[in-house]
Amino acid sequence: MTIDSALKEKLRQDNNKLSKRIIRETATAITDYNMIEDGDKVMVCLSGGKDSYAMLDVLMTLKTRAPIHFDLIAVNLDQKQPGFPEEVLPTYLTQVGVPFHIENKDTYSIVKRLVPEGKTTCSLCSRLRRGILYRVADELGCTKIALGHHRDDILATFFLNLFYAAKLKTMPPKLVSDDGKHTVIRPLAYVTEKDLIAYAELKKFPIIPCNLCGSQENLKRKEVANMLRAWEKESPKKVWNIFKSLAAVAPSHLMDKNLFDFINLRPTGIADENGDKAFDEETFPDHRDEDSPEDMVTSSTTPPDTTRQKIISIQKL
């Protein structure tokens, strides 16, 4: 084997591992949080960015392997941004053979009119977009709304709330919408952005840049993302451990009176392993640097049923 052919074979193997890892991690997240059930019609929100393309691509693969039946429909909101290439998504979606719907609504002009120059547009843009998508989900008869947020988005939101809103809060893998009518899911919750960037290059997705929020360089979210990248470069296990902590919460060892009844807390005379020990023992497991979601997410989030076992089998295909 020549050096050139050996390099090509190594690249092929790496690409195959990448695809399998993303499919496995997505299937694990879907299973852990029971995101998709038999008979669901899933609205896959497609923006034209790498994350939503990857989400659609992986869900199409899982649809062919899953032991349950569910339908997919890709939905794009055309916000009428100047220069938006309207033909790209319909052409791509027709080629891959997935049903789709393009919703036309000029939210771009609304955001530009209401948000002062230099201020971040994400909050208003997101609220307008989400309200429209809820309506479209009703009109299309969708039972789940899938968003393309990944592990790094979830961590960044956690730190944004921690640093700037004084809250322990992030975007969960699954939640009912604020109007109480829709189930919102994030199938890529366990997938790293680094892998999604590589996957987009591998699959050659026709990426459409966002000229509204994507051009804003000084967002706090980007500052937090840079912080996380620096930590991951120093030690990947550190970032995975932070992510793991989001699924291993001890309310009695925090300070929220709404989550734990500190007011009426009294000694019971019964020993409790979770009681106060002054300080936790500062010896921690020596995880390998390349931790995976299967290692990092606690079993307490995992539904112990046969459906889970069936769905896990698709991760190995």
Side-chain angles (χ1 to χ4, degrees):
M1 181 180 291
T2 65
I3 293 178
D4 185 54
S5 59
L7 289 174
K8 287 182 179 179
E9 176 60 19
K10 175 66 165 55
L11 179 62
R12 186 194 68 79
Q13 292 177 2
D14 288 346
N15 289 338
N16 189 45
K17 288 179 181 178
L18 172 69
S19 297
K20 285 186 175 181
R21 182 166 63 250
I22 291 177
I23 291 171
R24 182 180 67 248
E25 290 170 354
T26 303
T28 301
I30 289 172
T31 304
D32 281 353
Y33 291 91
N34 194 29
M35 293 188 199
I36 299 177
E37 301 168 274
D38 192 44
D40 269 340
K41 183 176 183 180
V42 181
M43 185 172 94
V44 184
C45 299
L46 195 66
S47 66
K50 68 182 189 313
D51 305 330
S52 58
Y53 273 124
M55 176 174 63
L56 175 63
D57 186 80
V58 173
L59 288 178
M60 289 176 65
T61 298
L62 293 179
K63 176 177 165 57
T64 66
R65 303 179 182 181
I68 60 173
H69 173 78
F70 61 91
D71 293 315
L72 301 172
I73 181 167
V75 172
N76 169 254
L77 172 58
D78 184 345
Q79 298 176 271
K80 300 306 174 185
Q81 295 168 280
F84 182 79
E86 297 180 359
E87 73 288 349
V88 171
L89 284 173
T91 299
Y92 173 80
L93 294 169
T94 300
Q95 288 174 347
V96 299
V98 65
F100 66 91
H101 170 79
I102 307 296
E103 182 72 13
N104 294 284
K105 193 71 174 179
D106 186 3
T107 61
Y108 180 87
S109 296
I110 297 173
V111 171
K112 296 300 287 184
R113 185 178 74 251
L114 295 179
V115 178
E117 193 67 31
K119 298 293 183 179
T120 60
T121 59
C122 292
S123 179
L124 176 59
C125 181
S126 177
R127 288 199 305 273
L128 292 172
R129 199 167 59 238
R130 197 65 60 88
I132 294 168
L133 291 175
Y134 289 166
R135 172 180 57 78
V136 173
D138 283 335
E139 293 173 356
L140 297 176
C142 297
T143 55
K144 302 285 172 62
I145 299 175
L147 304 178
H149 299 117
H150 46 70
R151 183 208 70 171
D152 296 1
D153 288 326
I154 291 172
L155 282 172
T157 301
F158 170 74
F159 281 109
L160 282 169
N161 279 306
L162 184 67
F163 294 157
Y164 302 109
K167 293 180 180 179
L168 290 176
K169 178 182 177 182
T170 189
M171 299 184 295
K174 179 182 179 183
L175 194 66
V176 173
S177 58
D178 56 3
D179 65 1
K181 298 179 180 179
H182 306 90
T183 301
V184 177
I185 60 175
R186 295 180 171 91
L188 301 181
Y190 292 173
V191 183
T192 66
E193 184 172 30
K194 178 178 65 176
D195 276 354
L196 290 171
I197 291 171
Y199 195 67
E201 293 175 354
L202 171 65
K203 292 288 186 173
K204 300 188 184 329
F205 295 135
I207 305 297
I208 302 173
C210 176
N211 298 322
L212 189 57
C213 57
S215 60
Q216 295 179 304
E217 297 298 334
N218 297 317
L219 299 178
K220 288 183 174 65
R221 182 171 289 275
K222 291 194 175 184
E223 295 173 10
V224 171
N226 290 336
M227 178 190 74
L228 289 171
R229 278 193 291 270
W231 285 354
E232 186 139 38
K233 186 176 181 180
E234 174 193 336
S235 173
K237 68 181 179 183
K238 178 186 294 185
V239 180
W240 270 121
N241 276 336
I242 297 170
F243 187 72
K244 177 183 178 181
S245 73
L246 300 179
V249 179
S252 64
H253 286 55
L254 294 172
M255 296 173 62
D256 192 331
K257 298 188 296 295
N258 295 314
L259 294 180
F260 189 80
D261 188 8
F262 292 101
I263 303 300
N264 297 305
L265 184 63
R266 300 286 187 277
T268 63
I270 300 173
D272 184 355
E273 177 65 21
N274 294 318
D276 185 66
K277 300 176 184 176
F279 297 98
D280 285 343
E281 184 179 358
E282 292 189 11
T283 55
F284 303 105
D286 184 20
H287 295 293
R288 66 186 186 278
D289 277 348
E290 292 299 330
D291 284 313
S292 67
E294 293 90 333
D295 301 315
M296 303 306 298
V297 178
T298 62
S299 60
S300 62
T301 62
T302 303
D305 54 32
T306 55
T307 301
R308 169 177 165 75
Q309 298 305 320
K310 290 179 181 178
I311 297 179
I312 283 179
S313 67
I314 69 178
Q315 302 168 27
K316 301 177 181 178
L317 297 179

